[in-house]
Amino acid sequence: MGIREDYQVLMEKQLNAWKAQTENFKATAGQIEERAKAQFEKNLEILRTKQTEAWEYFHKLKGANETAWAQFKAHMDKAGGEVKEAVDRMTTRFKQ
């Protein structure tokens, strides 16, 4: 595989891992006290929004020509970083 394919495989794997963590967070929501639950759900919604954006860039990246691919890779890197930050924030604030 080339750099492009390797990157796409890596990003798809990471996005799926974050998706699994998000589903785990969602399952935890019912166990949190009401006050914390509101904050938890707000952070979960931010995480979902960031994931949606990351998946959109990922799909654009996969279909991009050589010229546009570098631009979409930069967007994907940024979006991936934002998802990672949101997952880390959820993990830190709402440990199981």
Side-chain angles (χ1 to χ4, degrees):
M1 275 196 249
I3 294 172
R4 183 176 175 163
E5 291 82 11
D6 290 344
Y7 180 81
Q8 288 172 191
V9 168
L10 176 70
M11 288 312 302
E12 185 171 19
K13 181 179 176 182
Q14 185 61 66
L15 288 167
N16 284 322
W18 288 328
K19 181 180 178 183
Q21 285 180 302
T22 301
E23 291 303 315
N24 191 27
F25 293 141
K26 182 180 175 183
T28 304
Q31 303 169 358
I32 298 175
E33 293 180 27
E34 203 58 40
R35 182 171 174 220
K37 187 174 181 177
Q39 184 65 36
F40 181 88
E41 289 176 351
K42 178 181 175 185
N43 281 286
L44 185 58
E45 185 58 35
I46 291 168
L47 174 57
R48 287 183 181 145
T49 300
K50 298 295 182 187
Q51 283 181 320
T52 299
E53 292 171 3
W55 276 108
E56 287 173 5
Y57 281 121
F58 177 73
H59 292 298
K60 289 177 183 177
L61 178 96
K62 285 181 73 172
N65 62 31
E66 290 298 320
T67 305
W69 192 85
Q71 179 183 6
F72 283 119
K73 181 184 179 300
H75 290 297
M76 184 71 243
D77 288 342
K78 182 178 184 286
E82 290 173 353
V83 172
K84 181 183 182 317
E85 288 174 13
V87 168
D88 290 348
R89 188 171 39 255
M90 291 289 290
T91 302
T92 302
R93 291 184 181 168
F94 306 105
K95 290 183 181 181
Q96 294 179 325

